[in-house]
Amino acid sequence: MNNAMKLDADILEAAATWYVDLKSAAADDPLHDAHKQWLEADSRHVLAWRRIQQLQKRFRGLPRDIRPETLEKARRSRREMIKALMVVMTVGGAGAAWQQKSRVLSLAADYRTAVGQRRDITLADGSQLHLNTDSALDVRFSPEKREVFLYRGEVMVSTANDQHQRPFIVTSPHGEVQALGTRFSVSSDQRRTRVKVFEHAVSLSAADANDSLSLQAGRQADFTEQQYSAVTAIPANADAWVQGLLIVSDWRLADFVDELKRYHKGALSCDEKVADYRISGAFHLNDTRAVLENLSSTLPVKVRYLTRFWARVEAG
């Protein structure tokens, strides 16, 4: 068995812990000498540390996620950072590692929302963030740039003018979105990141692509780590969720239920027999149960509750 195969969980955890602790250590901290002694104690320690260094180069967002401000949080947050590093060190593919890392980091994020919850945030520069349901992000401002790390969910961004002329960047597991003085939304799940521009323009940079994509007001596009989708028009009222509304016009019922379940606490599905019914209207997202109960007043459907938190829209 070669040395690479002998990097067990204890060694990987130790390497991750050294990395996290050294990120906040001063240049004259005795921790540096202790780290050197740890490296010299076992050749496997050197291999594990090299893996950390390789990941720094391979994953552009990784070092930026581990900041002194974050490390000053509670011990649990520190443990989440270490766990995130261990996940990235042990998962093979870049995309999979990004996704696993994002899920772990979201547990210790600066700003989070539960299912059905939304949150408004004013940043130090005056920029406004509207965090949608089941979302998590960190904010990191430096002398060089203003950066938001979106780990999951959706955020609407209204950027403010910055006296230092720093770029405003939203980083997702799939790449970066740079604002060009604008209002835009970014949503991210395991498969892709979607960007909608409501004012001015943004520039998209997929993590492993050699080119970027410029997106103008009124347009939207998806991207993965490797590629961009076609650019299309933003659907009407796509930003209504900021006001707590879901506004639809002639939507398939199945698509309506799929969108509504993002805000519903519990499982929600739609029977195929009623999936193609059409629905229009403005619906309040603060009470999804009321929305479901009112469906029968406009459509020949009913809502069947298998349990308190498991609902299904069926033929009435």
Side-chain angles (χ1 to χ4, degrees):
M1 183 180 294
N2 58 37
N3 281 336
M5 296 295 290
K6 296 178 182 178
L7 297 182
D8 57 27
D10 289 341
I11 293 176
L12 293 176
E13 181 175 8
T17 302
W18 279 115
Y19 177 80
V20 170
D21 289 345
L22 288 172
K23 288 293 287 185
S24 60
D28 58 351
D29 195 310
L31 199 62
H32 293 284
D33 290 333
H35 174 246
K36 183 179 179 181
Q37 293 175 15
W38 177 78
L39 287 175
E40 294 172 348
D42 193 319
S43 61
R44 294 175 299 171
H45 297 174
V46 176
L47 290 174
W49 190 248
R50 285 177 181 170
R51 187 175 296 185
I52 286 271
Q53 294 174 317
Q54 291 168 356
L55 285 169
Q56 285 182 308
K57 297 176 182 179
R58 184 176 179 187
F59 296 97
R60 296 183 296 171
L62 180 59
R64 298 176 300 193
D65 291 335
I66 314 297
R67 299 283 182 169
E69 309 95 285
T70 302
L71 299 177
E72 290 169 2
K73 292 181 179 181
R75 179 177 297 178
R76 178 181 175 185
S77 295
R78 177 178 175 277
R79 286 296 305 157
E80 297 301 346
M81 299 303 105
I82 293 171
K83 281 193 257 181
L85 274 169
M86 290 182 65
V87 168
V88 180
M89 291 172 73
T90 54
V91 176
W98 255 117
Q99 298 298 338
Q100 293 283 357
K101 179 171 69 71
S102 293
R103 282 196 287 273
V104 175
L105 290 173
S106 68
L107 299 175
D110 293 337
Y111 303 100
R112 290 172 287 170
T113 55
V115 173
Q117 181 186 16
R118 296 179 309 282
R119 184 174 181 180
D120 294 337
I121 305 159
T122 300
L123 302 183
D125 68 335
S127 295
Q128 299 287 324
L129 303 183
H130 302 280
L131 199 57
N132 205 353
T133 176
D134 193 23
S135 302
L137 60 79
D138 276 333
V139 176
R140 297 290 178 264
F141 279 17
S142 71
E144 293 77 30
K145 57 189 170 183
R146 300 168 290 168
E147 195 157 18
V148 171
F149 295 89
L150 179 65
Y151 300 127
R152 72 168 190 271
E154 183 174 19
V155 62
M156 178 75 74
V157 181
S158 297
T159 58
N161 291 328
D162 182 50
Q163 60 178 340
H164 304 294
Q165 301 299 309
R166 295 170 298 177
F168 194 107
I169 298 170
V170 177
T171 297
S172 81
H174 306 98
E176 295 182 346
V177 182
Q178 181 167 338
L180 306 175
T182 184
R183 178 173 177 264
F184 64 103
S185 69
V186 182
S187 60
S188 182
D189 58 27
Q190 295 185 22
R191 298 177 293 109
R192 53 95 182 111
T193 292
R194 173 167 294 171
V195 181
K196 300 173 183 174
V197 183
F198 297 92
E199 296 177 9
H200 303 295
V202 303
S203 177
L204 315 183
S205 298
D208 296 331
N210 295 322
D211 58 346
S212 60
L213 174 67
S214 180
L215 205 57
Q216 303 298 315
R219 313 298 283 177
Q220 66 178 8
D222 298 349
F223 65 94
T224 64
E225 294 94 336
Q226 293 83 25
Q227 60 187 6
Y228 308 96
S229 73
V231 176
T232 59
I234 296 176
N237 302 303
D239 58 347
W241 63 265
V242 174
Q243 281 75 46
L245 295 173
L246 173 58
I247 302 177
V248 301
S249 178
D250 198 34
W251 278 32
R252 290 178 67 246
L253 182 58
D255 296 335
F256 174 82
V257 171
D258 278 344
E259 183 66 16
L260 189 66
K261 71 182 180 183
R262 295 177 57 200
Y263 305 86
H264 183 73
K265 296 178 181 178
L268 177 61
S269 62
C270 182
D271 193 306
E272 290 184 2
K273 295 179 181 178
V274 300
D276 290 328
Y277 288 176
R278 314 303 290 192
I279 185 170
S280 299
F283 304 89
H284 290 278
L285 294 171
N286 291 333
D287 191 347
T288 57
R289 287 180 67 93
V291 173
L292 291 171
E293 295 300 332
N294 289 330
L295 285 179
S296 59
S297 65
T298 57
L299 293 172
V301 299
K302 65 180 180 181
V303 179
R304 183 162 67 97
Y305 288 93
L306 288 79
T307 70
R308 180 183 176 187
F309 298 104
W310 189 353
R312 184 172 177 80
V313 180
E314 302 177 341

